[in-house]
Amino acid sequence: MEHKKETHQFKAEVQKVLKLIINSLYSHPEIFLRELVSNASDAIDKVRFRSQTDPGILGKDTEFRIRIAADRKKRTITVEDNGIGMTYDEVVENVGTIAQSGSRAFLEAIEAMKKDTIAPELIGQFGVGFYSSFIVADKVTLVTKAAGAKTATKWESTGDGTYTIEETAKKGRGTSVTLALREPGDGEADYTDEWTIRDVVKRHSDFVSYPIVMEVERDEPLADVEILKDADGKPIGETTRKVRRDETLNSMKAIWAKTKSEVTEEEYTEFYKHISHDWNEPLTHLHIRFEGTTEYNALLYIPSKLPLDFTMRERKHGIHLYCRRVFIMDDCKELMPEYFSFVQGVVDAPDLNLNISREILQQDSLVRNIRKNLVKRLFDLLEGMDKEKYDTFYAEFGPILKIGIPTDHENRDRIAKLLRYQTTGSDGAYVSLLEYTARMQEGQEAIYYITGENAATLVNSPHLERLKEKGIEVVFMTDPVDEFVVQVLRTFEGKRFVSAEKGDLDLGKVDEKKKHGFDGFFAFMKEELKDRVKDVKASTHLKDSLACLSGETYDMSPYLEKILKATGQKVEPARRVLELNIDHPAVSNIRHLFEKDRDDPALKDYAGLLYDLALIAEGGKVDDPARFSRIIGSLMAEAITVEELATGGAIEV
C-alpha cells in the first residue's frame, strides 16, 4: 500500500489566529496544557458514550486515562489519550483547518475588544485551544488512530504557515500530541518539570473526569533485609533506591454528586472555571440533588460577566449532560430555556435513555421534568438575591432574561417581577415594576413608558412634558426587546402599559373652543404634509415644546422602526400624527399668518419646519438638512431687525 503524505497551507484566518495567540498569550503560556488535556477528555467522553451502544469499540482497552510524559533532555512534553481518535480525513478536516467558524468568531471577538492582548478564557470558548501549543513549542506533532481503524495519521507543523499529514502506525486507539518545547527564559516556567506540570493540572484540570497520570521518579526506602549494616547495626551505604511509577495528578471529583457540605467554595469556583473556560469567578451557584419520581443531580452557575462570544452563532449552551457520570453532550439546549442560556453547569440524570436522539430529547418526559424543576429553582435563586448582587446580575443578563416574556407564557409573571428599569423618578437607579406600581399616584390606572436608545435622551423627550407637569413617573425602556415585552405583557398587576409616544394621554381636557379655532390651520397642515403624517391635531403631551410626533396605540414606535432597519429589514416608514402645542406663541403666530393670507408661501416652509422640529425632538433625522438650514437662517435674519439693533447700529449686507 502506497504511503500517503501531504503538505498543506494553513487557512489565512488560522494563520492570523496563530500569530495572535503566540504573540499575545505570553503571560499565560500554561494555557496550552489545559487545552490539550481538555481535548483529550472530550475524546474519551466521545468513545465512552459510543461504547454504551457499541461495547466492542473499546476492545481490551477499557481503562480510560490521559497520560502526560515529559522529557527534560529532549525538551518535549506529550499529552496522550485513549479516546475516540481521528481518521486521516478527520485530521485534514478538523486539525489543519481547525474550527474555521470558531476562528472567525475568535477574531471578531478580539476586534470587538479593541485590545492587543487576549484573555485566556477566549481560547476555550472559540475552539482554538489546539493552537495554544505554539505558545511554548517550536514544533507540534499529533499522532492519532480512530477507534476501529487499522492505520494511524501523523500531523506535524512548526507553526510557520504549513503542516504535513501522513499515514503512520500506532498501537491502540487515541491521540498523542507531542510538543518540542523552546528553552525557557529567565523567570519562565519549565514545562518538563514535574512540579510545574502538577501545578498547572491542579489549577486548571483537577476536575477532569478521567485520571491524568504521569510517570514520576521517587526515592523508595529499601527493605531492612536489603540494607547493609555495620557491627553496631548502623546502615552502610544507600538506604533508598530510585523507582519510577505512575501517579494520578487530578482529583477527578464529580462534585455535583456530593452533598453541599462536602464541597468548599474554592472547589465550586474551580469547577466552574474548568467547565466554562472563564477565569472570572461565578456570581453564584445552585447545587441541587433531586430525589423522587425524577432523580438527578445538578450544579448550575450564573457567571459574573456575559461571555464575549454569547451572541456568536457557534456558541454552545453551557449545560453538560451526564448519565451516571457518563458524558452525553456539552450543549444541552433542551434543559434550559433561551432566556437562561447564559447559565453554565452540569446535570447528571441516571435514568436517561442513552439511545435518545436530540429530536426525541425535546419530547422526553424526564428531560421536560428536569427542565421545569431547574427553571423553578433558578427563579427562586434570583428572587432571593440581595439587591447589590441582583443589580450586578441584571446589568449583565437583564436583556437576555426579557426574552422569556414573549417565549414562556407559564413563567411570564415571574419574569416580569424580575425586570428592572430606570424612570423619571428613580434618579438613575433601576427599579422593579412592583416598586413603580407601589408609588403610583392615587387614581393612576396606567404604567407610562417611553422607548429609546438611552435614558439620558429620553428624559428630555417632549412627549413627557405633560406627564412631568402632573408628577407622573415614566418608565424608560431602552433595550430593543422591551418593545416586544410591553406588547406581550399588556398589563402588570392590573395596570395597563401606556406609551407616552402614542395616542391621547387623557391627562386633561383640551380647551375645545380654542382647539376649534385651529381647525382650518390643521387641515392646511395635514394637506401640506400628507405624504409624511396621517393627521395634525392639538397635543395632549406638550407643555413647552412646539411639536411632537405620536402614533396610534398599535403603531410601530420610531425606536423599533430604527432597530429593524439596522438589522437590514425593509420597513415602510410609518406616517404618524403631528401634535402641535396650541398654547405656544409660535404656533399661534403661524396660525394668525394662515388666517391673514392662506396663500403666503412662507406657510409651506413653516409646515415643513414644524414637522422637522418634531422629528429632531425625538432623535430623528430631517429628510432635507439643506432646506431646514435655509429656513432657519431666513427666520433668524428676519427676527434680527434694524430696530432691535438700534443701539448698536444697523447691519448692512
Side-chain angles (χ1 to χ4, degrees), residues 25-34 68-72 75-79 132-133 135-137 179-185 187-201 203-204 214:
L25 278 177
Y26 56 87
S27 60
H28 302 283
E30 77 278 5
I31 206 73
F32 84 92
L33 189 54
R34 183 195 75 179
I68 298 176
D71 190 320
R72 182 164 289 187
R75 297 291 308 154
T76 63
I77 184 172
T78 299
V79 179
S132 63
S133 300
I135 302 171
V136 297
L179 279 57
L181 298 169
R182 290 187 283 273
E183 288 287 343
E188 293 180 348
D190 182 357
Y191 295 104
T192 64
D193 177 70
E194 174 194 337
W195 300 104
T196 299
I197 294 171
R198 283 180 174 276
D199 178 62
V200 175
V201 170
R203 284 190 288 118
H204 296 299
M214 183 170 63

Side-chain angles (χ1 to χ4, degrees), residues 84-104:
I84 194 71
M86 289 181 283
T87 64
Y88 189 100
D89 291 340
E90 287 172 337
V91 172
V92 172
E93 182 180 354
N94 298 324
V95 181
T97 56
I98 189 168
Q100 292 184 59
S101 61
S103 299
R104 288 192 294 272

Side-chain angles (χ1 to χ4, degrees), residues 530-534 549 555-558 560-562 564-565 569-576 611 615 621 623:
K530 60 184 178 182
D531 294 332
R532 288 184 282 181
V533 303
K534 64 173 64 175
L549 292 167
D555 284 354
M556 184 183 299
S557 72
L560 180 57
E561 186 178 311
K562 185 177 180 180
L564 294 176
K565 287 181 178 178
Q569 297 189 49
K570 189 176 181 180
V571 181
E572 291 293 328
R575 290 192 306 140
R576 291 183 290 153
Y611 177 84
L615 196 63
K621 296 181 179 180
D623 296 332

Side-chain angles (χ1 to χ4, degrees), residues 229-426:
K229 300 177 182 178
D230 61 18
D232 297 325
K234 294 180 179 180
I236 302 173
E238 299 293 332
T239 60
T240 62
R241 61 184 168 199
K242 300 289 185 182
V243 296
R244 298 192 68 80
R245 64 170 182 263
D246 282 348
E247 286 191 5
T248 300
L249 307 184
N250 60 322
S251 68
M252 297 178 288
K253 296 178 181 176
I255 63 173
W256 66 83
K258 295 186 172 187
T259 63
K260 296 177 185 179
S261 60
E262 295 178 296
V263 188
T264 67
E265 286 299 319
E266 290 76 16
E267 288 176 320
Y268 279 127
T269 298
E270 287 303 314
F271 185 70
Y272 167 75
K273 292 180 178 181
H274 168 66
I275 64 170
S276 68
H277 300 290
D278 184 359
W279 280 26
N280 298 303
E281 292 190 2
L283 181 67
T284 189
H285 66 264
L286 180 63
H287 194 169
I288 305 169
R289 185 177 182 89
F290 195 89
E291 296 178 339
T293 47
T294 303
E295 293 188 4
Y296 64 90
N297 293 319
L299 179 54
L300 306 181
Y301 295 89
I302 294 178
S304 55
K305 297 288 184 181
L306 183 70
L308 291 170
D309 68 331
F310 189 81
T311 59
M312 303 285 184
R313 183 177 297 177
E314 296 85 0
R315 182 184 181 271
K316 294 182 176 181
H317 279 51
I319 304 300
H320 299 244
L321 180 62
Y322 283 75
C323 177
R324 302 183 188 274
R325 302 194 189 185
V326 175
F327 172 80
I328 307 300
M329 64 181 69
D330 62 358
D331 181 28
C332 194
K333 301 180 179 70
E334 293 75 16
L335 283 174
M336 202 60 59
E338 187 178 1
Y339 59 88
F340 278 150
S341 57
F342 51 82
V343 175
Q344 304 273 344
V346 169
V347 174
D348 192 338
D351 297 325
L352 189 69
N353 179 7
L354 290 176
N355 292 314
I356 200 166
S357 66
R358 286 221 85 129
E359 292 75 21
I360 299 173
L361 197 64
Q362 297 173 356
Q363 309 299 324
D364 187 77
S365 59
L366 175 62
V367 173
R368 291 201 306 270
N369 286 336
I370 294 174
R371 172 179 167 132
K372 185 176 181 179
N373 291 330
L374 293 179
V375 169
K376 181 181 181 299
R377 294 296 298 273
L378 283 169
F379 277 124
D380 293 341
L381 179 67
L382 294 174
E383 290 164 355
M385 279 186 182
D386 62 63
K387 185 179 185 312
E388 183 178 355
K389 181 175 284 190
Y390 187 78
D391 286 348
T392 301
F393 161 80
Y394 196 81
E396 294 291 326
F397 305 108
I400 303 163
L401 187 65
K402 292 173 184 176
I403 296 172
I405 293 292
T407 61
D408 188 350
H409 175 77
E410 184 178 351
N411 293 299
R412 188 173 296 162
D413 290 342
R414 295 192 78 172
I415 299 171
K417 291 176 181 178
L418 290 170
L419 304 184
R420 300 290 186 268
Y421 295 100
Q422 291 178 284
T423 73
T424 51
S426 69

Side-chain angles (χ1 to χ4, degrees), residues 524 528 593 597-607 630-631:
F524 164 80
E528 193 63 36
L593 179 62
D597 183 3
R598 302 191 176 196
D599 296 321
D600 192 324
L603 289 170
K604 291 182 179 289
D605 286 340
Y606 283 128
R630 175 181 59 78
I631 295 173

